[in-house]
Amino acid sequence: MMPILYYSTNRNLKNVAGITPFTGKVSFKDALLKGQAADEGLFMPDTIPQLFLKDIQNLKGRPYSETALLVARAFLADEFPLETIRQVVIDAYNYPVPLEEVKPKTYVMRLDQGPTASFKDFAARMMARLMSNCRPKGERLNILVATSGDTGSAVGEAFKGVAGIDVTILYPEMEVSNRQKKQLDTIGGNVQALSVAGKFDDCQNLVKQAFSDPDLVKFNLTSANSINFGRILPQIIYYVYAYAQLAGKDEPAVFSVPSGNFGDALGCEYARRMGLPVVKLVMPTNENDEFPVYLTTGIYKKVSPSRACISNAMNVGHPSNLARFFDLYGGIVDRVGQVHKYPDLEEMRRHIFSVSVTDEQTRATIKSVYEHYQVVLEQHGAVGWSGLVEYFKTAPEQKLAICLETAHPAKFPEEIQKLLGLTIPLPESMKNIDQRKGSAVSITGDYGDFKNYLQKNLKIKE
Ligand SMILES: *Cc1c(COP(=O)(O)O)cnc(C)c1O
């Protein structure tokens, strides 16, 4: 069998100012450590491995980590020993994945039981452990992350205690909430927060400068950004898991995935291409409607600036993973949202349904799902549910349907209290955050100051 290699979504971009297409291919390990191709394209596997339906069906009633092993080894077996992959998934997935029946044949999959109560834990935890396994021998990796809030703590928690890796998180001191600050400051161990006197953009610029500074090369600086293919792979797994647990023999399924940067939905797209019987991928967005508008009109125009909605993790005017969707359907779109070649729209419509959900509809959905079924959804999951309802208006035949709940309702106490009059207790994983101790190091927004900190504090050797 040929090993799977990774190419750039920009490889065929010709005559575009400022871009020299990267036409080569790299291993999974390189794609994981580099994060992004040199031409700013996103890495894509050149072959999509196939799963046998029978192997999927055999996972019924088995722990989540077994599904994770089946999917991960299909991609990684060329580059990692089977035992390593097994350890990675067992260590990463030590929390439950509830599948809650809302009404006959219709389920909510709760991806909110990880350390930061968000589905992003699934990707970040596996990526962290894979990175630990491909660091240069005897050396450490140093992860730098700039965050405006939640991403930083998901990454920090995911790498906490992972061998051979230290994490430095930069956040803008004036722009994070008290709760977010507490979460970021107190992770501890191999994770250190820096509170920067500046804005999020300043944090991002400091990190960018550090990556291109030759004096810092010895520290093996790496990013853990959301466009890394190492974060897409883990997001394939839960679709296969849900299907294995819930589907009857050869039964097709519909998944609804509340979407922002489209990384989560991309996992479902790959799962289908690996052989999972997905009849429709429903990708509802909030009022950032660039994608549903594209599917309807055939014309893509990013929303700029992005619209602020209550499902704030999905306030994205040009989804970064759209480049991967376009590529899979034969098109090219770049980082800034310029389309260089349109994909096969008919084919996309055959597999994908998308709709924009307003804040008003989102709130009404939270209320009605609770009133009808006593099921509590937060605003991201409610966008997902609303999308499912809209889809079944166009295809009313009863089918197995699974809606993803991507965050824990307790993360949004004000909204839930206002709409349902309920106080939802924090999940176990987040309960003692308020008692945790730890503090950030304060730095100015000046690069020299930041560099000085890194040179004094980062370690090179294990
Ligand atoms: C990030 C996020 C999303 C959107 O996922 P994408 O992969 O960016 O589409 C949805 N819900 C929550 C809670 C998130 O944090």
Side-chain angles (χ1 to χ4, degrees):
M1 223 175 58
M2 294 279 284
I4 301 172
L5 293 173
Y6 293 77
Y7 64 80
S8 165
T9 51
N10 282 349
R11 71 200 177 290
N12 293 325
L13 269 189
K14 299 203 178 73
N15 309 317
V16 179
I19 296 182
T20 311
F22 171 71
T23 55
K25 291 183 182 181
V26 302
S27 65
F28 177 85
K29 286 184 182 178
D30 281 347
L32 183 69
L33 293 179
K34 288 191 197 343
Q36 194 172 5
D39 59 6
E40 299 195 327
L42 276 59
F43 285 121
M44 302 279 289
D46 65 355
T47 317
I48 298 176
Q50 298 297 300
L51 298 175
F52 293 109
L53 199 51
K54 196 162 164 306
D55 289 339
I56 296 173
Q57 286 160 345
N58 284 340
L59 293 164
K60 192 178 178 81
R62 308 295 306 161
Y64 187 83
S65 58
E66 289 188 24
T67 303
L69 183 61
L70 181 79
V71 174
R73 71 189 284 189
F75 277 94
L76 304 177
D78 306 324
E79 295 185 51
F80 296 85
L82 184 58
E83 203 37 46
T84 302
I85 305 172
R86 192 194 310 278
Q87 278 312 319
V88 164
V89 297
I90 287 176
D91 202 44
Y93 300 123
N94 56 359
Y95 53 87
V97 185
L99 289 157
E100 200 171 315
E101 185 172 33
V102 180
K103 57 179 190 170
K105 284 211 167 293
T106 312
Y107 294 80
V108 164
M109 173 158 57
R110 294 206 181 261
L111 302 174
D112 59 1
Q113 304 290 302
T116 69
S118 144
F119 89 96
K120 293 197 171 67
D121 291 329
F122 282 79
R125 287 176 67 78
M126 183 160 156
M127 178 169 75
R129 285 153 182 81
L130 288 171
M131 279 185 167
S132 172
N133 275 288
C134 50
R135 64 192 195 273
K137 237 188 161 43
E139 294 179 25
R140 303 186 80 79
L141 289 180
N142 279 288
I143 310 278
L144 298 184
V145 221
T147 183
S148 54
D150 279 350
T151 334
S153 48
V155 170
E157 290 289 347
F159 280 91
K160 183 177 178 175
V162 170
I165 303 189
D166 292 322
V167 180
T168 306
I169 304 173
L170 289 78
Y171 68 82
E173 71 183 10
M174 303 300 283
E175 291 178 9
V176 299
S177 69
N178 284 339
R179 175 159 215 116
Q180 284 174 326
K181 180 172 164 50
K182 185 86 189 173
Q183 271 186 304
L184 290 162
D185 288 355
T186 63
I187 298 171
N190 57 333
V191 182
Q192 178 64 51
L194 302 183
S195 161
V196 179
K199 294 179 175 309
F200 173 60
D201 283 347
D202 300 319
C203 297
Q204 266 192 318
N205 285 332
L206 290 176
V207 167
K208 264 201 190 141
Q209 277 191 63
F211 281 133
S212 57
D213 187 334
D215 295 343
L216 301 177
V217 169
K218 60 184 179 208
F219 293 119
N220 294 325
L221 299 182
T222 303
S223 69
N225 59 29
S226 58
I227 53 180
N228 197 307
F229 190 78
R231 287 176 67 147
I232 303 299
L233 165 58
Q235 294 176 171
I236 302 171
I237 299 165
Y238 35 76
Y239 298 99
V240 179
Y241 174 76
Y243 184 86
Q245 306 313 311
L246 300 175
K249 192 171 161 11
D250 304 338
E251 185 180 16
V254 176
F255 283 96
S256 183
V257 189
S259 293
N261 267 319
F262 292 11
D264 196 0
L266 186 69
C268 188
E269 177 73 31
Y270 276 117
R272 178 180 69 75
R273 288 170 185 256
M274 292 176 81
L276 197 73
V278 178
V279 268
K280 208 70 165 191
L281 165 55
V282 179
M283 293 173 56
T285 65
N286 59 22
E287 292 168 35
N288 292 283
D289 59 358
E290 63 285 344
F291 185 64
V293 167
Y294 164 65
L295 278 190
T296 311
T297 63
I299 296 168
Y300 181 74
K301 201 164 161 292
K302 70 176 169 183
V303 172
S304 178
S306 60
R307 299 174 184 139
C309 297
I310 56 170
S311 47
N312 61 354
M314 298 172 8
N315 292 341
V316 180
H318 171 52
S320 48
N321 282 295
L322 190 67
R324 288 188 167 117
F325 272 100
F326 269 38
D327 188 273
L328 286 169
Y329 287 91
I332 309 175
V333 63
D334 67 20
R335 191 171 54 87
V336 295
Q338 168 109 33
V339 177
H340 299 274
K341 183 180 172 211
Y342 270 107
D344 183 339
L345 183 59
E346 281 316 306
E347 183 67 8
M348 229 181 208
R349 284 176 177 156
R350 200 160 20 253
H351 296 292
I352 300 173
F353 175 88
S354 184
V355 64
S356 165
V357 178
T358 64
D359 277 356
E360 196 184 339
Q361 287 172 299
T362 305
R363 292 194 173 101
T365 302
I366 294 176
K367 279 176 100 152
S368 80
V369 169
Y370 185 68
E371 277 160 19
H372 284 96
Y373 312 111
Q374 288 75 54
V375 168
V376 179
L377 298 176
E378 54 68 63
Q379 46 264 39
H380 304 84
V383 169
W385 187 270
S386 191
L388 200 58
V389 170
E390 292 304 313
Y391 168 66
F392 278 115
K393 284 181 187 166
T394 69
E397 192 196 336
Q398 241 281 0
K399 280 194 203 81
L400 174 62
I402 299 143
C403 174
L404 274 54
E405 174 52 290
T406 48
H408 196 284
K411 292 185 91 172
F412 307 94
E414 298 86 10
E415 202 67 51
I416 303 294
Q417 179 67 42
K418 206 164 58 194
L419 293 168
L420 306 180
L422 294 176
T423 307
I424 310 291
L426 278 174
E428 226 31 67
S429 57
M430 298 184 74
K431 264 193 185 142
N432 35 31
I433 281 175
D434 292 330
Q435 283 84 50
R436 285 197 322 209
K437 301 256 178 300
S439 58
V441 171
S442 295
I443 60 167
T444 67
D446 177 56
Y447 180 66
D449 206 23
F450 177 50
K451 179 171 175 176
N452 195 19
Y453 170 86
L454 294 177
Q455 286 182 311
K456 274 212 183 99
N457 291 282
L458 296 191
K459 297 194 261 319
I460 300 176
K461 297 269 175 244
E462 275 191 52

